[in-house]
C-alpha cells in the first residue's frame, strides 16, 4: 500500500547508513566527544556563517524543544507560541513538565505574525496585574510550520525586532528545516536564521537521518551549562558519534540540500497530481507537507490504497488530510498515486 | 477615598481577630496539630455533611490550587479550566511550575458548561494522536467564578457526571465561596458541593479571615501524602493554629454565613445604586463582585473619589470596572458612593 | 505543663499584635503594595546598610528557601548544603520539587566549613565526568544553624571567597537570625551578612511575628522577576500588609534586637539551670536552642512535666533533647523548670 | 591504541546493524506502532515469563530512569538508592528535575542491602517529624551495579520483601543486564527479576545495540499513561521501529545471551591477565567491568598504550582504574594487552 502518512516512515538516507556501517567497529569516546561530532559541528558553523556558534546534537524534537526552552527561560517565564505550535499540542506537555507555560497566540496557517506578538505584548504590559502572570520570555516558531508554511526573511526580521524590543529570545524549531530551505522562492537561508534567532535547530529525523536534531546557538554563551542540561533531560546519547556522523554526512557535499531539493521536487509533483485529480487544497504549502480537504468520494477512493494522515475535522465535518513526501519518496510512488486517482 | 477595589483590603473580621488576641500567648504544637485546628476541621466536616472528609488548612489560594492539582494528577495529566480561570491567568504559572498543563476551554461568564467539556473530551479521544497530548485528568471550576457568577446544583451535577464518565477529578476553587453560598436563589450548599466534587476549598482570605483556605476532600484517601505535599509546596504554616482558630471562629455561631449574607446585602444595595446612576452592567452577578462598563464621563466622575478595579478593556476601548464589596463594607460607604454619583 | 519544645508555640509579640489590631480596618492595596510594606523595606535596608537592596516578604521558611533557590539557580545547577541543613531534611523535598538537587556535604555542629566546600569543589571539577553531574550553583547555610551554632564573620568571609572563586551564590537562611544577632560574642551583624551573601532572609515566624520572613538581596537585580516567582510559588500573601506591618514593627525602636536579647538572656539562664541539674550538653550553642543528652532518669524526671523536642537518637540509644526559648519565654517558666529538676 | 574505557565505544553488533540495513526503506508507522516493535515486546514477555507484562522501548538510560521514576512516584515521594547509584551521581539531577529527591543510602560495592534499607525505613517512620520529610516511595538498584557486582536471587527477594512491607516499588536498572545474566554462578534470571521487581529495564546501549533500553512492567497497569509520559519526557523515538528492530534481533536466537557470554569470557581472560601482571583488584566483579588500583609504575606502563577509565582517587591518592570489555572486545585485544604488560 502506498503511504504518504508522514516523513519519518523509513530509516535513513543510504549515504548516512553507509557511514554508520563503515565506522561501526571504530572505538570513539562517548557523549559527542569524538572527531565526527567535532567535524559536524564545524561544518554546521560554516553553513550558518557563525564561526562562534555553539552546536549540540540531540536525538529528537520534543527533547530538543524542552531542553532549549528550559535552558533559556527563567522559572517565572513562559514561551509564546502559535496555538497550533508543536510544543503546545503534540509534545504531551513537555514544556510544562519543565515548569513553563506555553502562552498560545492566534496563528495564521501555523505562523505567528510579528504585529500580533507585539500587540499581545503591549496589552500584556498595559495590564495592571501583569506581574501576577507568567512573564513572556521567548517566542517559539516552527519553520516550516506544522502546516508546511514558511516565514519570509522580512517576517523573521520583524519577529526579531519585537523580541529585541521586549527582551525576549527567539527560538526556531527546524524539525523540517531542510524542506524549508529548499522551497521555491524562499529567501530564508541558514545564515538568515542564525542572524535572527537566539537558538534554532536543524532537523535530522525528518530529513534523512535515522534520528537527530542539531541545536545551534549563534552566539556563544547563550545557554550556559547546556551540555549538563541535555544530560539532565535524558537527551544525551551515549554513543554520541551516531549523531555526529549523521550530521557530518548531511553537511558533506551538500547532502542536506540535495535531500531538501528532492523532496520539494516530489512535493511539486504531488501538488500537480492532487490538483489534477480535483482535490481542494486547504492551504498553500511550499514544502513537503500538503493538506487537502477530502470529499466523501475522495476518501473512499483512497481507502485501502493510499495512506495519509487524518489531520483535523473541519467544523462542517469534512476531513483535512495531510500528504507528506520526503527524501525517501520515489517518483514511481507518485506515478502510482496518480494512476490510482485516475482509475477511481 | 472610597474604595471598592477588591475584597481583601482590610484585615480580619473583628470576631476572628479577637480570638487571635485571646489565645495569643497559649502554647500549642505547630503545623496544625493543635486543638483549635481539630475543632475547625470537625465543624467543617459537619457543615459539609461529610463525617469522613479530610480537611487541610493552607494560607492562600494559589498555593492551595497548586497543591491540590499536584496532589490529584499524575505527571502526564493536565487540568481543564475555563480560559478565564484563575489558575490559567493570574497565578503566574503555578500549575505549570508543578509540571501540569492547563487545558483552557471557552467559557461563558466564567463558567464551564458540562456539554462543552464533554464535547471537548469526545473530540480529544477521537483524535488519533491523543496519546501524544496532555491527558485530561481534572476539571477545575471556581464558584463563584472570577466574574461573580454561580453554578446551579444541576450544572455541578452535570459536570460531576462528565467527570465520572471520563475518570476525571472535579475540583472547585471556593476562594469566595462564602459569597456564593449566601447569594439569593442559589441551590448550591456545602453538602451539594461535597457531593459533586473530589476536592474543593472554602475561602477564608476574602471572607473575613486574615488569610487561610480550607481544603476539603469529601472522600478519605483521595490525596495520599497531602500533608507532606503541603509542606513541600511551602504551604504549611508553622503556627498552624492561626488557621485553625480562624476557621473555628468562621464556623462558630454561623459567622461564615453571616459574613456572606452581609456582603450579599451590600452587593444588592450597590447594584441598586449603580443601576440608578445609569451604569451599564457587563453581566449579571449575584455575588459580591459587580462589573460595569464605564462611559468616559462615568470614569471621570469616579476619578479621585471612588476606587474600583480596572478589569479589562473591551474591543471598542471601553473599560470594564469591577466593584467588590465584602464582610467589611459598611452601609455608609455605599451611601457615600450614591451621594458622589448624584453630584457628578 | 511547661513546654520548651520549639520557638513557635505562641502567637506574636504583643507590640506586633497591637499594630495589627490598630490597622485592622484600614483599606490598603494587596500584595505588598501598601505603605507599611514600603516602610518596612526601607527600615530593613537601613539596618543592613544596603540602600539599594531589594527586600521581599514571604510567609514561611520553606517557601522562602524554595523561591530564593529557584530564583537564583539555573536548571542544571544544585545547591550545596550541610547534610543536616533544613532544606536537605525537613522541607519535604521542596528544593527538588523545584527541580534542583541538594548537594549535601558533611557538617560540624550544623556548619559548613569553607575549606570543606573548597575541597569538594576542587574534587568535583577535577572529576572527568563532572559535566554529567549536577553543577554547583549556590551554597546554602543557616545562621544560627539547626543546632543553634553560629558562624563567625571570618567564617562567612571565607565562604564568600570560595563562592566568588567558583562563581557560586551564597544564601543564608536566617529563620532564627534574631537570636544569632543577639548572641554573646558574635561579630556577625546584618551589614556583615549583607556584605557576604547574595541573598539571605531575616526570620520573623520564630522571632516574634505571627509569621513572615524578609528576603534581602543586597544587590539590586540579583533575582529578576522575583515578585512573579513568589506568586508562582504560591507564596505571595494577598493581604501583604500583614507582613509589612509586622516587619515594620520588628524594625521600629529596636524591637527585633530586644526580642533577640531577651531570648538570649533566657537561654543563658536555661543553660545554667540545665548545667546545675547535671545535664550533659551535646554541643555548645550560644543561641536560643540548647541540646542535652538525656540519661534515663532525666527522661523520667521530665516526663509529663516539661516538654522538649526529641531531637535524635545517638548510636548508643540515648536521646538528644532540644530545649528552645524565645521572645515568649518568661523567667518564671525557667524558675519553675529549675524547681522541677530539683525535686526530681 | 588499545582501549578498555567503556562498553559503548563501538556501534552495534553486526547482526543488529544488518537488520537495520535490510529494513531501511520499509515504511512503518512511527512511535513504536510497528510490527517489529510488537514482535520484540512479545519476545521479551516470553523471556521474562510474564505474558501480561507491559514493555516500552526508550533510547537511553537516564531518560529511562527518569521516566520510570516519575511514572511510579507521587510528588511527595522520593527514591531510595545507593549513594553511588547512577541516578544519584551521573545523571545530572534528572530525578530531581522531575521533582523527586534521591534518598541516598550507604552501599557496599554498589549494592543496597535489604537489612540496611529496612533499618533506614524503621528509623524514618520512628522519627516524629517524618511527615515533614520526603516519603520513601521506591527502591532503585542497578544490576550489575556501577561496580560490576551482582545481587543474588536471595538478596533481590529480601529487597522485594522490604518493599512489600513498606509499600514501596522496586525498580532495577539493567543498563548492563546482559552481562549480569551471563555471569558465572549467578542465580538471577529474567524471570527472577520480573518476579521481584515492579519495574526494570533490559539495557541495549551497552549490550550490543546502537542504543535502546527495554522497560518492563511485569504487572499490567503499573504505570498508567506511561506512553504519554515517555513522550512528555522527550524519550519517544519518532522512528520507533529502530528500537523494536534492535530488541527483536537481541531476543532472536539467543543473541542477547550470546553477547553476554562472550563479554564474560573476555572479562575472565582480562582478569587473568591483570592478575598475572600483578594488578591489585579493588573489588571482585563477576561481570564486564573490572576495577584495579594502579601503582605509579603501572600507570606509566599503560600510558599512551592502553586506555582505561580513571574511576576514583583513593584517600591515599592512588587511582582506581576501570577496565571494561563488551560484545565488541576481541581476544586479540586482550592478547595485545598482555603483551604490553609483559614488556613494560
Amino acid at each position: 500500500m502506498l503511504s504518504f502518512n508522514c516523513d519519518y516512515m523509513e530509516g535513513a538516507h543510504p549515504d548516512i547508513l553507509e557511514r554508520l556501517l563503515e565506522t561501526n567497529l571504530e572505538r570513539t569516546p562517548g557523549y559527542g566527544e569524538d572527531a565526527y561530532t567535532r567535524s559536524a559541528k564545524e561544518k554546521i558553523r560554516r553553513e550558518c556563517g557563525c564561526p562562534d556558534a555553539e552546536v549540540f546534537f540531540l536525538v529528537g524534537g520534543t527533547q530538543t524543544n524542552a531542553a532549549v526552552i528550559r535552558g533559556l527561560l527563567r522559572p517565572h517565564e513562559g514561551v509564546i507560541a502559535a496555538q497550533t505550535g508543536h510544543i503546545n499540542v503534540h509534545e504531551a506537555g513537555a514544556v510544562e513538565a519543565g515548569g513553563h507555560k506555553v502562552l498560545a497566540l492566534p496563528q495564521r496557517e501555523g505562523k505567528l505574525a510579528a504585529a500580533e506578538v507585539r500587540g499581545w505584548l503591549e496589552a500584556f504590559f498595559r495590564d495592571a496585574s501583569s506581574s501576577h502572570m507568567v512573564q513572556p520570555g521567548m517566542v517559539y516558531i516552527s519553520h516550516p510550520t506544522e502546516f508546511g508554511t514558511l516565514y519570509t526573511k522580512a517576517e523573521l526580521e520583524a519577529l526579531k525586532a519585537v523580541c529585541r524590543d521586549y527582551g525576549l529570545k527567539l527560538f526556531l524549531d527546524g524539525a523540517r528545516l531542510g524542506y524549508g530551505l529548499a522551497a521555491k522562492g524562499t529567501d530564508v537561508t541558514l545564515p538568515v536564521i542564525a542572524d535572527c534567532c537566539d537558538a534554532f535547530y536543524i532537523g535530522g529525523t525528518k530529513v534523512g537521518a535515522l534520528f537527530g536534531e542539531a541545536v545551534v546557538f549563534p552566539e556563544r554563551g547563550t545557554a550556559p551549562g547546556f551540555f549538563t542540561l541535555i544530560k539532565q533531560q535524558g537527551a544525551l546519547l551515549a554513543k554520541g558519534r551516531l549523531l555526529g556522523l549523521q550530521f557530518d554526512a548531511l553537511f558533506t557535499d551538500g547532502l542536506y540540500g540535495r535531500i531538501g531539493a528532492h523532496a520539494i521536487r516530489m512535493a511539486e509533483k504531488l501538488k500537480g497530481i492532487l490538483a489534477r485529480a480535483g482535490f481542494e487544497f486547504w492551504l498553500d504549502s511550499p514544502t513537503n507537507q500538503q493538506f487537502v480537504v477530502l470529499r466523501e468520494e475522495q476518501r473512499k477512493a483512497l481507502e485501502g490504497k493510499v495512506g495519509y494522515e487524518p489531520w483535523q475535522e473541519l467544523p462542517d465535518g469534512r476531513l483535512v488530510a495531510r500528504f507528506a513526501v520526503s527524501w525517501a519518496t520515489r517518483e514511481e510512488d507518485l506515478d502510482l498515486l496518480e494512476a490510482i486517482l485516475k482509475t477511481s
Side-chain angles (χ1 to χ4, degrees), chain A:
Chain A
M1 179 172 154
L2 270 180
S3 178
F4 299 95
N5 292 60
C6 72
D7 37 19
Y8 42 92
M9 294 180 295
E10 294 89 355
H13 190 281
D15 292 8
I16 287 176
L17 211 55
E18 196 181 329
R19 292 294 289 141
L20 291 176
L21 263 176
E22 284 169 13
T23 59
N24 188 48
L25 291 179
E26 289 183 16
R27 291 191 188 114
T28 61
Y31 307 114
E33 301 290 321
D34 63 283
Y36 298 114
T37 300
R38 274 197 301 280
S39 166
K41 290 182 177 187
E42 198 45 43
K43 287 175 181 170
I44 286 173
R45 282 189 202 99
R46 213 176 304 137
E47 295 271 339
C48 295
C50 289
D52 281 341
E54 288 181 285
V55 181
F56 297 89
F57 298 114
L58 289 89
V59 172
T62 297
Q63 65 183 213
T64 301
N65 286 332
V68 170
I69 291 168
R70 282 200 91 200
L72 297 189
L73 291 185
R74 301 290 314 158
H76 64 294
E77 295 177 333
V79 51
I80 292 172
Q83 194 87 45
T84 53
H86 206 256
I87 56 167
N88 193 41
V89 183
H90 286 114
E91 299 190 355
V95 173
E96 291 85 359
H100 301 286
K101 191 178 187 73
V102 178
L103 302 162
L105 260 59
Q107 46 79 38
R108 212 180 112 67
E109 299 189 344
K111 290 164 65 179
L112 272 185
E116 175 94 33
V117 176
R118 189 180 292 276
W120 186 89
L121 288 164
E122 284 168 0
F124 180 87
F125 287 111
R126 217 162 43 222
D127 187 327
S129 63
S130 71
S131 64
H132 290 239
M133 307 198 294
V134 172
Q135 300 297 298
M138 177 190 277
V139 172
Y140 162 96
I141 55 174
S142 40
H143 179 88
T145 67
E146 294 74 14
F147 299 91
T149 52
L150 292 174
Y151 289 86
T152 63
K153 185 178 174 209
E155 288 171 336
L156 289 183
E157 287 172 345
L159 282 167
K160 175 190 178 183
V162 175
C163 288
R164 186 198 51 217
D165 292 352
Y166 283 89
L168 311 184
K169 309 283 186 195
L170 183 56
F171 170 40
L172 183 147
D173 171 337
R176 295 186 168 93
L177 188 54
Y179 304 132
L181 296 173
K184 300 263 184 286
T186 182
D187 56 358
V188 172
T189 61
L190 279 173
V192 166
I193 292 171
D195 176 57
C196 289
C197 298
D198 297 283
F200 64 98
Y201 76 88
I202 302 171
T205 300
K206 291 163 179 167
V207 193
L210 279 177
F211 54 83
E213 324 293 328
V215 173
V216 183
F217 297 112
E219 195 168 326
R220 187 157 294 271
T222 299
F226 198 67
F227 179 89
T228 301
L229 188 60
I230 292 174
K231 178 75 187 175
Q232 186 186 83
Q233 294 283 118
L236 186 67
L237 193 64
K239 300 180 182 175
R241 79 174 190 215
L242 301 178
L243 289 163
L245 260 168
Q246 294 185 85
F247 275 94
D248 196 57
L250 284 170
F251 286 93
T252 297
D253 298 336
L255 178 58
Y256 199 68
R258 282 184 283 129
I259 281 175
H262 169 76
I264 294 302
R265 217 164 47 241
M266 294 299 101
E268 293 297 323
K269 181 165 178 152
L270 171 66
K271 281 165 93 161
I273 291 168
L274 292 172
R276 285 193 295 277
F279 282 81
E280 176 189 344
F281 284 86
W282 187 44
L283 50 72
D284 183 25
S285 156
T287 63
N288 75 314
Q289 302 183 88
Q290 297 296 325
F291 298 84
V292 292
V293 185
L294 295 187
R295 288 197 304 272
E296 195 46 35
E297 73 268 22
Q298 292 172 328
R299 241 172 132 150
K300 285 206 183 116
L302 299 167
E303 208 169 298
K305 296 184 200 140
V306 180
Y308 56 84
E309 183 85 358
W311 191 254
Q312 71 174 76
E313 262 180 45
L314 296 181
D316 63 10
R318 289 184 303 161
L319 184 74
V320 175
R322 182 186 70 174
F323 286 77
V325 295
S326 77
W327 61 273
T329 307
R330 294 161 306 179
E331 296 252 10
E332 62 211 73
D333 299 327
L334 293 168
D335 294 338
L336 189 52
L337 171 66
E338 182 143 44
I340 289 170
L341 292 176
K342 274 183 178 153
T343 34
S344 69

